[in-house]
Amino acid sequence: MLLRHTTADVMERSALTINPAKTCQPIGALYAALGVHNCLPHSHGSQGCCAYHRSTLTRHYKEPVMAGSSSFTEGSAVFGGQANLLQAITNMFAMYNPDIIAVHTTCLSETIGDDLVQIISKAREEGKVPPGKHVIHANTPSYIGSHVTGFSNMVKGIVTYLAENSGRKRNQVNIIPGWVEPSDMREVRRLSRAMGVNCNIFPDTSDVMDAPQTGRHEFYPRGGAPIEEIRHSGDSRSTLALGPTASEAAALKLEEKCEVRSEVLELPIGLVATDRFINALRHRSGIRVPGFITDERGRLVDMIADMHQYFYRKRVALFGDPDQLVSLTEFLVTLDMRPVYIVTGTPGKRFETRIREALGDSVPEAQIRQGPQADMFLLHQMIKKEGVDLLIGNTYGKYIARDEDIPFVRFGFPILDRVGHSYFPTVAYMGAMRLAEKILSAVMDRQDRNAPEESFELTM
Amino acid sequence: MVLYPIADALHLVHGPLGCAAYTWDIRGALSSGPQLHRLSFSTDLREMDVIQGGEKKLAKALCQLIDLHHPKAAFVYSTCIVGVIGDDVEAVCRQVSALKGIPVLPVHSEGFKGTKRDGYRAACEALLQLVGTGSTEGISPVSVNILGDFNLAGEVWIIRDYFEKMGIEVVATITGDGRVDDIRRAHGAALNLVQCSGSMMHLAKQLQEKRGIPFKRVSYFGIEDMAQALYDTAGFFADKSPGIVGRTAALVSQELSTIMPQIAQYRRKLEGRKAAVYVGGAFKAFSLVRALRQLGMDTVMVGSQTGLREDYEELRELCDEGTIIVDDSNPLELSSFLQEKRVDLFIGGVKERPIAYKLGVGFCDHNHERKEPLAGFTGMLNFAREVYNTVASPVWRLTPRGAMRDRS
Ligand code: SF4
């Protein structure tokens, strides 16, 4: 019982976070930057941070993750990190020849107050940025927000630096896919094309963070949104931002900077959310939904029908990042399950309202917790008070699942102890089928395991 | 981070939340008893704290946690920004210690204070405040402390068992499966055994200087090094414990006779295959080169992140001619060496694993993420099995390089 210290009584503890349900901003900024082609992410801070972030991303995606670090010393903490960053920019262009360096800050550089805008323009003035190459940045102070905030800030940074309005509209739609798996981004692209939408997706980590085995180590894998295309995002007809927490900021920036109209949708996870996504695409292209997409939806409905008798009113606890949780909640309601505890460590407006909307009037007893003290410890306490039939969340949930002996489905970031999540989408109809299958398998495996001899049956 | 394995202590990260999230149970340091060390506590410093200072928050968090968990001691890890916002962590620790009656020790682990080695030093300083505060009554004159093993995958248990079979008392294991009370009486041991990488070197040196306890550098990895460690220790106690040398020899030969036949089998299959090694400490690299040689493999590239000049000279001597020796390399360089030398196995850390796989090369994790004990004689057998399993995996025949080899 690893978590036997957890008590059922929820105590007041304003100064303390136990087993946090989130990580820090830079890791999200790093992931976002990997979705740009030929981009080298750079961590402006001490080496330790960068090593943590690279390791965690590697553990989740099982891919090489390259990033530079300003390698702060005690001196930089006193005099500022300008010299380190300038040096690093020179070295990185010389050694690794990226098209773009995406710098994010860390707690340390934020606290000492390094001015990245100024440092980057100094680098340009001093000729440290070769012609045609780019250095962009995002401020990602870790003591505000979470890894999702960092992702959002970097996507916004990408737009701020790169998007341009040339005055000539292009017949295309920007899609900002949010922090989802590379396979999800690929699926979003497939569906958009099928719906006749000429899409410009960024960031796009497909073919970067799920690169095929080729026998070579590609320092910059084939995927990632090309800088040219990101520049043209300023000429697009409109923007679809998937997941407000991760993608809205960039969409608004595009609107403000290049006058590209934007619409924010929830992540297309689950049947209803996917319907809305497909609908949004349909409005843009004006074509009818092709038969094979309708069939995918039909198969999903058919599958849910086959499964519904097992899901009936089951209590579910879920934790993770806001955008994922909102859509997942809605999907669980579709499956006739009851999301009773919903916990996120990521702060942000409207989370509770969005969840309540997703719940409709189906689960009035649902408890929604958000913010720094909404950690795994609190979730565990809630579960101890009144149990659940299923737990859904990232790898950190396994301790609670084990201690309380609850079926557990891994979903979200990070997943450190399984392989496969980055290869199969959970978005759209096919993704929903996969999620539903995982959920049902977890529940049924437990039933089989616990069944006494006489009620252990071949068919269920 | 080296203090984390102390299982009945509370470990609190004073800093932003992120740092703590990354430390939550990612090293496989096992404890035979309490599991308190596997939880991750953070003061979660936020914007206001950065402006106003985090001392109050720290004191409050410490008090709450101590009341809740009743640990034997508490370690407070300061992260980078604490140094910058200027919290007086020591003062807070002193206050809380006086209030709660347990040692509360600050660890200056600010990331920007230089390298990993400085972090080790900070950990040793914290430990030095504990050692010497317990009673040494009843400790045998034939006794050791095991320093610098983190009990990854239970390795400290294997080593401890050997020493006990030789008739040596193990006073404290620092820090793997460590207990606060044992560490407090560690100064009663007659000898300190310091495991390779040097994380606990500073502690050993201080104990020699201040308490006159001699130390020996040892490695428990690989047959040669393991046996050497046992014989050296036996030699040290030869006067005080008659027959110890004989007992040790018997132990070694018994262990060898169990594992050698199987090792020989693996060796037959691995003979002539090529390996590359890139690990944290140079000492570990030495042991690995020797162990690979035992398996009939050639190490064609070897390097470490924290090696010193002398270390590299020693490596040069140890390795064959033509072996590439690298110092603090970058991924680009590493992968080009792996390709150039056409290796079959790469031994490295978590960040290198996918690089090896992309190239179609087998991989073993010899850093913190290993799940099988690799120390001791049993460990050598595990190592051989692990190396064989990955090198001989059929998956590599599906990769371009494997297909090429099959054709030729
Ligand atoms: S919380 Fe701050 S100091 Fe810690 S890893 Fe994240 S950026 Fe680095």
Side-chain angles (χ1 to χ4, degrees):
Chain A
M1 287 270 282
L2 202 48
L3 304 180
R4 68 173 171 283
H5 303 279
T6 307
T7 51
D9 295 328
V10 177
M11 56 170 185
E12 189 280 333
R13 50 184 172 94
S14 57
L16 180 66
T17 302
I18 307 174
N19 297 345
K22 60 162 189 172
T23 60
C24 63
Q25 282 209 41
I27 198 167
L30 215 168
Y31 181 57
L34 290 169
V36 177
H37 186 61
N38 274 358
C39 175
L40 188 61
H42 180 86
S43 160
H44 186 49
S46 50
Q47 245 173 358
C49 303
C50 185
Y52 275 153
H53 303 141
R54 286 179 57 208
S55 303
T56 305
L57 289 171
T58 300
R59 287 188 178 103
H60 177 94
Y61 295 101
K62 328 280 180 204
E63 291 289 317
V65 174
M66 300 302 150
S69 160
S70 294
S71 305
F72 275 28
T73 57
E74 223 158 333
S76 0
V78 180
F79 302 114
Q82 169 164 322
N84 296 51
L85 184 52
L86 289 176
Q87 187 62 48
I89 289 176
T90 312
N91 293 349
M92 284 190 294
F93 277 122
M95 266 171 77
Y96 300 114
N97 193 30
D99 288 344
I100 177 168
I101 294 174
V103 186
H104 59 259
T105 56
T106 60
C107 298
L108 192 51
S109 49
E110 283 291 333
T111 311
I112 58 185
D114 276 351
D115 180 352
L116 274 268
V117 176
Q118 180 262 324
I119 300 179
I120 290 172
S121 65
K122 192 168 162 68
R124 286 203 166 281
E125 277 158 32
E126 293 178 0
K128 293 191 156 62
V129 186
K133 306 263 173 172
H134 305 263
V135 179
I136 67 172
H137 93 281
N139 287 93
T140 49
S142 304
Y143 38 84
I144 310 171
S146 78
H147 53 286
V148 191
T149 325
F151 181 91
S152 160
N153 286 343
M154 183 51 87
V155 184
K156 183 176 163 194
I158 291 171
V159 168
T160 310
Y161 275 89
L162 300 176
E164 277 170 24
N165 179 353
S166 71
R168 278 189 35 231
K169 280 282 171 212
R170 287 169 181 253
N171 187 21
Q172 62 178 23
V173 176
N174 303 321
I175 298 185
I176 307 178
W179 185 334
V180 289
E181 299 289 342
S183 49
D184 292 319
M185 300 190 184
R186 185 175 288 114
E187 177 72 350
V188 163
R189 183 182 299 279
R190 178 183 75 97
L191 286 178
S192 308
R193 285 198 180 142
M195 288 299 301
V197 169
N198 184 11
C199 58
N200 183 6
I201 300 184
F202 65 89
D204 181 1
T205 58
S206 61
D207 287 323
V208 180
M209 298 312 281
D210 61 355
Q213 213 284 347
T214 55
R216 275 186 318 232
H217 168 219
E218 310 281 357
F219 200 83
Y220 303 107
R222 178 160 50 97
I227 295 172
E228 264 315 288
E229 285 185 20
I230 299 175
R231 175 174 312 137
H232 294 152
S233 67
D235 295 332
S236 296
R237 297 216 173 274
S238 64
T239 302
L240 264 184
L242 306 182
T245 320
S247 305
E248 184 169 29
L252 291 181
K253 187 75 206 177
L254 258 175
E255 207 160 83
E256 171 204 316
K257 189 178 171 200
C258 305
E259 292 163 13
V260 180
R261 267 182 314 113
S262 68
E263 182 181 355
V264 185
L265 294 177
E266 294 294 351
L267 283 179
I269 292 172
L271 184 128
V272 185
T274 306
D275 284 351
R276 285 193 299 262
F277 175 57
I278 295 289
N279 227 356
L281 293 171
R282 192 172 56 85
H283 282 309
R284 278 165 181 74
S285 67
I287 71 163
R288 287 178 49 150
V289 180
F292 72 90
I293 294 184
T294 316
D295 287 349
E296 282 175 20
R297 183 180 193 280
R299 277 193 294 273
L300 171 61
V301 175
D302 194 59
M303 184 177 176
I304 296 175
D306 294 339
M307 289 176 165
H308 83 280
Q309 53 171 325
Y310 308 108
F311 287 143
Y312 183 64
R313 306 302 280 163
K314 288 230 179 325
R315 290 166 56 86
V316 189
L318 40 152
F319 66 95
D321 302 332
D323 295 343
Q324 268 80 359
L325 289 178
V326 170
S327 299
L328 187 60
T329 299
E330 188 182 51
F331 186 43
L332 289 169
V333 171
T334 307
L335 297 178
D336 197 17
M337 298 178 99
R338 285 183 301 161
V340 283
Y341 308 133
I342 301 143
V343 170
T344 183
T346 299
K349 290 172 294 207
R350 290 204 66 244
F351 176 66
E352 175 147 5
T353 327
R354 286 161 65 201
I355 292 279
R356 292 271 172 227
E357 274 167 23
L359 286 168
D361 49 14
S362 64
V363 192
E365 74 271 31
Q367 296 186 38
I368 302 157
R369 296 283 181 275
Q370 180 184 22
Q373 256 87 54
D375 50 22
M376 301 303 290
F377 186 77
L378 178 76
L379 177 64
H380 195 184
Q381 289 182 314
M382 293 159 85
I383 292 174
K384 269 195 185 301
K385 264 234 147 110
E386 196 180 346
V388 292
D389 304 304
L390 177 70
L391 176 66
I392 305 182
N394 62 39
T395 288
Y396 290 104
K398 74 192 280 183
Y399 299 94
I400 297 178
R402 180 184 164 101
D403 274 11
E404 303 303 320
D405 198 14
I406 324 169
F408 175 43
V409 171
R410 284 167 181 75
F411 175 75
F413 177 88
I415 295 175
L416 309 170
D417 59 344
R418 291 292 186 273
V419 183
H421 46 270
S422 52
Y423 297 101
F424 301 102
T426 54
V427 298
Y429 301 123
M430 305 255 271
M433 290 175 78
R434 174 160 178 269
L435 264 179
E437 188 206 5
K438 279 189 143 221
I439 291 172
L440 185 65
S441 297
V443 171
M444 300 287 249
D445 281 349
R446 176 57 45 93
Q447 205 172 310
D448 268 343
R449 199 197 76 190
N450 289 357
E453 203 101 304
E454 62 276 14
S455 54
F456 182 74
E457 290 184 66
L458 182 64
T459 60
M460 287 171 85
Chain B
M1 294 301 103
V2 293
L3 298 179
Y4 257 81
I6 303 176
D8 54 355
L10 179 86
H11 302 272
L12 173 66
V13 178
H14 182 39
L17 202 86
C19 299
Y22 300 118
T23 57
W24 183 10
D25 204 21
I26 52 166
R27 299 191 123 187
L30 303 188
S31 159
S32 53
Q35 303 285 350
L36 184 55
H37 67 300
R38 295 181 63 181
L39 301 186
S40 161
F41 300 107
S42 161
T43 48
D44 182 22
L45 289 181
R46 268 170 274 160
E47 206 167 11
M48 279 321 283
D49 307 314
V50 172
I51 299 162
Q52 299 172 343
E55 292 177 21
K56 281 212 190 86
K57 212 168 177 182
L58 174 62
K60 202 167 158 193
L62 270 172
C63 290
Q64 281 188 358
L65 280 171
I66 293 171
D67 290 345
L68 193 66
H69 296 293
H70 313 290
K72 287 267 169 65
F75 292 99
V76 177
Y77 303 87
S78 313
T79 54
C80 322
I81 69 166
V82 172
V84 179
I85 61 184
D87 281 358
D88 188 348
V89 176
E90 304 221 359
V92 175
C93 288
R94 243 180 284 123
Q95 280 161 21
V96 175
S97 177
L99 196 68
K100 299 287 171 190
I102 62 162
V104 180
L105 305 169
V107 186
H108 295 281
S109 45
E110 294 94 335
F112 60 81
K113 285 223 175 113
T115 58
K116 234 180 184 172
R117 219 173 296 130
D118 298 292
Y120 291 157
R121 200 190 163 88
C124 291
E125 287 296 332
L127 286 170
L128 275 167
Q129 296 190 41
L130 265 187
V131 177
T133 55
S135 150
T136 59
E137 228 182 82
I139 295 180
S140 153
V142 183
S143 55
V144 297
N145 294 316
I146 299 179
L147 305 189
D149 191 297
F150 305 123
N151 204 28
L152 301 172
E155 295 185 336
V156 115
W157 298 327
I158 297 175
I159 307 302
R160 186 183 193 122
D161 184 53
Y162 293 151
F163 287 123
E164 284 172 358
K165 280 190 181 138
M166 288 159 58
I168 298 171
E169 178 180 347
V170 177
V171 180
T173 57
I174 305 175
T175 54
D177 198 22
R179 296 292 181 280
V180 173
D181 286 343
D182 293 342
I183 297 171
R184 300 178 92 155
R185 59 203 288 267
H187 58 298
L191 176 67
N192 282 322
L193 296 173
V194 198
Q195 155 109 317
C196 37
S197 67
S199 60
M200 287 289 130
M201 208 51 200
H202 181 62
L203 180 65
K205 282 192 177 144
Q206 289 291 311
L207 286 175
Q208 181 170 45
E209 222 168 84
K210 295 202 175 121
R211 306 255 175 197
I213 309 174
F215 68 84
K216 279 190 188 303
R217 283 182 100 166
V218 291
S219 161
Y220 307 124
F221 182 73
I223 293 175
E224 289 167 63
D225 290 13
M226 183 66 235
Q228 193 65 42
L230 297 183
Y231 283 131
D232 283 357
T233 314
F236 181 84
F237 289 116
D239 310 337
K240 287 192 219 162
S241 172
I244 191 169
V245 177
R247 281 200 298 280
T248 308
L251 172 74
V252 171
S253 76
Q254 210 233 311
E255 293 285 334
L256 285 184
S257 66
T258 7
I259 63 163
M260 278 326 258
Q262 290 185 67
I263 297 233
Q265 276 182 11
Y266 290 123
R267 186 187 163 110
R268 263 198 299 283
K269 292 173 180 141
L270 291 169
E271 194 94 58
R273 299 288 205 128
K274 292 182 203 155
V277 172
Y278 187 69
V279 288
F283 245 73
K284 203 187 280 174
F286 298 153
S287 293
L288 280 167
V289 172
R290 278 194 281 265
L292 288 165
R293 192 170 285 162
Q294 195 104 54
L295 295 178
M297 296 182 74
D298 302 326
T299 305
V300 293
M301 187 210 95
V302 59
S304 81
Q305 291 156 340
T306 56
L308 304 169
R309 258 259 305 293
E310 309 92 83
D311 297 336
Y312 288 108
E313 276 157 27
E314 206 177 325
L315 264 182
R316 176 97 349 276
E317 266 170 45
L318 179 66
C319 295
D320 302 329
E321 233 162 280
T323 300
I324 301 178
I325 301 202
V326 295
D327 172 23
D328 200 7
S329 181
N330 63 59
L332 208 56
E333 200 179 61
L334 281 180
S335 64
S336 80
F337 285 147
L338 294 185
Q339 250 171 318
E340 185 186 314
K341 287 285 182 179
R342 305 190 148 271
V343 304
D344 303 289
L345 171 73
F346 186 41
I347 300 183
V350 50
K351 294 196 287 287
E352 284 89 44
R353 179 190 294 269
I355 299 180
Y357 291 169
K358 282 278 182 282
L359 295 170
V361 168
F363 182 86
C364 282
D365 193 325
H366 206 272
N367 286 349
H368 317 302
E369 240 144 276
R370 54 183 190 250
K371 304 292 176 212
E372 289 262 17
L374 300 180
F377 299 105
T378 355
M380 181 65 196
L381 188 55
N382 291 335
F383 178 68
R385 188 182 307 121
E386 224 173 83
V387 167
Y388 169 73
N389 283 346
T390 185
V391 169
S393 165
V395 68
W396 308 130
R397 303 181 53 180
L398 307 175
T399 66
R401 209 187 122 200
M404 230 158 60
R405 195 165 38 208
D406 276 359
R407 236 179 286 135
S408 63

